[in-house]
Amino acid sequence: MTASRDTRQTAWSAIDVPEGAALTSLKAEVAGSPLYNPDLAPVGAAERTWNTWNITALWISMSAVLTTYTLASGLMMAGMTWWQALCTVTLGNLLVLIPMLLNAYVGVRYGIPFPVFVRASFGTTGAKAAAMARGLVGCGWFGIQTWLGGLALSALMTHFWSSWAQISGHQFIAFGLFWMLQMAIVLRGMRAIKRFETMAAPVLIVLLLLLFLWALIAGQGFTAVLRNSELLAKPSTHTFWEIFWPGLAANVGYWATLSLNIPDFTRFARSQKAQILGQSIGLPLGMVGTSFAGIFVTAAAMGIFHETLWNPITLIPAISQNGWILVVAMGAILLAQTSINMGANVVSPSNDFSNLAPQAISFRVGGIITGVVGVLMCPWLLMENASAYIFTWLAGYGSLLGAIAGIMITDYWWVRRRQLSLRDLYLQDGVYPRWNGWAFVAMAIAILPIIPGFVAAAQAPGGIVAHPGFFDQLYVYGWFWTFSVASFSYGGLRYFLGNAGIRSGKSEPIREGVAHD
């Protein structure tokens, strides 16, 4: 009994990547494949350097940013109270942690990034379409976070040079400068990003604590500030439940991107324990803590300045005009925006673009492409309205990525029973087909019914349809609908139809037992 339990534990926690000469031989065998380059290669146990703290720091540094700080604002502008908004944010992040951990497991076990992992479920060529769906969303996020960082830089320059604000297009100039700073980090590669994330986390925690202490003291105590928070909620004609479900789906959608490409990071983790603990601590703590700080500090500012100052870029100059304080505070905000861009919005799109043509596009070249596409997506337009940002941008792409996540998880955990052929993931004509037709059929079944609801939400004021019909109600559940429908559809198709209609020739392993189970 003990031996059997030990065997199962080893199977669960094992790193199934060859070491030493065996790993070198594997890489040499697939080196000539158009699906391989060194940036997409499997990472062996000896190359793993990310421990629990590194992964916790990654999540804290990616969470302590302006979009998280203001995340509750869109929900409160739609009509929620502060505690309802915070509960919605908390529940959304606990739910998205589940697919996050399931996909992260594969990164640790096989040492592969997301574009390689998704080849198993969508096919070695079909994976390019699935990966780019994730990659283009990352480009949009990169643009949004860079725009916000550019605003912070512009505010700082205005303080020290009053004529700066009179220059035509000064915000776009600051946006360009901040963009170039980030591209310099991208060119230094993945190791530089890891060092940056680990260094950024403590700085961002200190900034949030300082803002919280200011609110506590200036707002005359915890209870008084929370009373002021009631003034932040806007009157609404919608019921709580009409706001809750799309708001919850949007909060799940906030990290729907990372729930797909988390293997890009966990492939460097030393163990399953490191990734599970690091994510379970860092993700909820970072998101809920930052969101609560945003509510609390804004409520204190409402009592003092008698206006709603959700954005720290406008709040901090109102608190103090001291040059050194502004430099440190705005510098921390710039650090925060750079941190989330490096972690959440550069690594995955860079790998995804590299996956399009591995022999021609490296991780660094993919990063530059990410930066250019992020600018072309006009992020200043996406951030014009906080509620529309939540109920259309977040909920919309979250619905798309929910379908992909459902298919990936069902394929690995149920269809393949946690068994992948590492070598064949890098070969065009190995055991995995070039196109897995069932994955795309399942994705269409999940996504097509919610497109009318997305179009209606995109045209509605604040992103909420006044008199929702059947398709509008489907869209309200966004990520939950697409994740569930795609999962069941894909599982059913593979169970009842297997490989039929996918390809002829050598079949891929379906529902086989795992030798070490």
Side-chain angles (χ1 to χ4, degrees):
M1 180 66 70
T2 302
S4 176
R5 188 183 300 114
D6 290 344
T7 300
R8 286 195 296 270
Q9 177 62 28
T10 301
W12 173 264
S13 60
I15 294 177
D16 287 346
V17 182
E19 283 299 314
L23 180 57
T24 301
S25 176
L26 172 64
K27 291 179 179 179
E29 186 178 357
V30 299
S33 169
L35 300 180
Y36 176 87
N37 72 24
D39 293 318
L40 299 177
V43 179
E47 304 171 82
R48 312 285 183 94
T49 59
W50 290 55
N51 56 29
T52 301
W53 162 244
N54 294 132
I55 296 173
T56 302
L58 171 72
W59 275 112
I60 291 175
S61 61
M62 290 195 300
S63 299
V65 293
L66 293 178
T67 47
T68 307
Y69 184 93
T70 60
L71 189 57
S73 67
L75 297 172
M76 296 178 73
M77 288 175 65
M80 283 191 181
T81 64
W82 73 268
W83 64 269
Q84 290 171 337
L86 191 64
C87 287
T88 304
V89 171
T90 302
L91 182 57
N93 282 280
L94 290 176
L95 289 174
V96 81
L97 183 61
I98 298 171
M100 195 82 68
L101 294 174
L102 292 175
N103 281 333
Y105 172 90
V106 181
V108 178
R109 182 172 178 181
Y110 290 102
I112 53 176
F114 161 67
V116 176
F117 173 30
V118 80
R119 291 170 185 170
S121 52
F122 280 81
T124 55
T125 301
K128 295 180 180 181
M132 285 315 303
R134 162 63 181 101
L136 291 175
V137 170
C139 292
W141 266 118
F142 177 87
I144 287 173
Q145 301 293 359
T146 302
W147 174 251
L148 293 173
L151 293 180
L153 180 59
S154 182
L156 185 62
M157 295 177 72
T158 299
H159 176 78
F160 290 101
W161 181 23
S162 57
S163 299
W164 170 257
Q166 308 304 318
I167 297 175
S168 178
H170 61 280
Q171 291 181 334
F172 287 92
I173 296 172
F175 171 67
L177 293 173
F178 188 47
W179 183 90
M180 288 189 287
L181 170 66
Q182 294 175 100
M183 289 299 100
I185 298 173
V186 170
L187 290 174
R188 297 180 64 85
M190 190 67 187
R191 289 186 179 181
I193 292 175
K194 174 205 169 186
R195 289 194 297 268
F196 187 90
E197 298 292 340
T198 304
M199 175 272 295
V203 176
L204 301 178
I205 292 172
V206 169
L207 174 64
L208 287 176
L209 287 175
L210 289 175
L211 282 172
F212 184 82
L213 287 174
W214 169 82
L216 197 62
I217 296 170
Q220 299 181 342
F222 191 80
T223 305
V225 173
L226 289 184
R227 280 198 299 267
N228 283 335
S229 67
E230 298 174 2
L231 301 175
L232 299 178
K234 301 295 183 183
S236 175
T237 57
H238 301 285
T239 67
F240 167 76
W241 294 110
E242 288 176 334
I243 304 170
F244 171 75
W245 287 112
L248 182 64
N251 273 276
V252 173
Y254 189 92
W255 286 124
T257 50
L258 263 291
S259 71
L260 293 184
N261 77 281
I262 191 64
D264 290 340
F265 299 96
T266 57
R267 63 196 289 230
F268 299 103
R270 292 175 177 172
S271 66
Q272 295 292 353
K273 180 180 178 181
Q275 73 92 356
I276 291 172
L277 286 178
Q279 294 201 93
S280 299
I281 296 170
L283 173 56
L285 180 64
M287 290 297 295
V288 177
T290 303
S291 295
F292 178 72
I295 294 170
F296 193 81
V297 173
T298 306
M302 169 68 80
I304 297 168
F305 304 114
H306 306 293
E307 60 177 321
T308 305
L309 299 173
W310 275 106
N311 196 329
I313 296 173
T314 55
L315 172 63
I316 291 172
I319 294 174
S320 174
Q321 286 293 308
N322 182 283
W324 286 109
I325 291 177
L326 289 177
V327 167
V328 171
M330 293 300 180
I333 291 174
L334 291 174
L335 181 67
Q337 300 311 110
T338 306
S339 176
I340 192 173
N341 264 349
M342 294 302 104
N345 308 321
V346 167
V347 173
S348 179
S350 298
N351 283 329
D352 297 336
F353 282 118
S354 179
N355 185 57
L356 289 177
Q359 298 291 329
I361 304 175
S362 66
F363 175 87
R364 291 174 173 82
V365 173
I368 298 299
I369 296 174
T370 299
V372 172
V373 175
V375 174
L376 295 178
M377 294 180 76
C378 303
W380 47 90
L381 299 179
L382 293 174
M383 293 301 293
E384 281 186 344
N385 182 283
S387 290
Y389 155 73
I390 285 184
F391 296 112
T392 54
W393 169 249
L394 287 183
Y397 81 68
S399 300
L400 169 64
L401 301 186
I404 298 174
I407 292 167
M408 289 174 62
I409 290 171
T410 301
D411 182 79
Y412 178 75
W413 289 93
W414 187 72
V415 174
R416 302 184 191 282
R417 303 291 178 85
R418 297 187 293 114
Q419 184 181 25
L420 295 178
S421 170
L422 190 58
R423 169 184 171 274
D424 288 292
L425 287 172
Y426 293 92
L427 299 178
Q428 278 190 321
D429 296 304
V431 298
Y432 301 107
R434 294 198 179 194
W435 291 90
N436 182 355
W438 300 133
F440 288 94
V441 171
M443 192 162 70
I445 291 172
I447 291 174
L448 289 177
I450 67 167
I451 290 179
F454 169 75
V455 173
Q459 297 173 345
I464 302 179
V465 178
H467 303 288
F470 174 75
F471 291 107
D472 300 314
Q473 292 291 348
L474 285 185
Y475 178 68
V476 161
Y477 297 101
W479 186 92
F480 300 103
W481 166 270
T482 57
F483 181 89
S484 302
V485 172
S487 296
F488 284 108
S489 298
Y490 181 75
L493 289 167
R494 295 309 298 261
Y495 184 83
F496 291 108
L497 300 176
N499 287 340
I502 295 178
R503 59 173 287 182
S504 58
K506 181 167 54 176
S507 63
E508 52 179 320
I510 299 295
R511 295 179 61 81
E512 294 181 354
V514 184
H516 54 235
D517 276 358

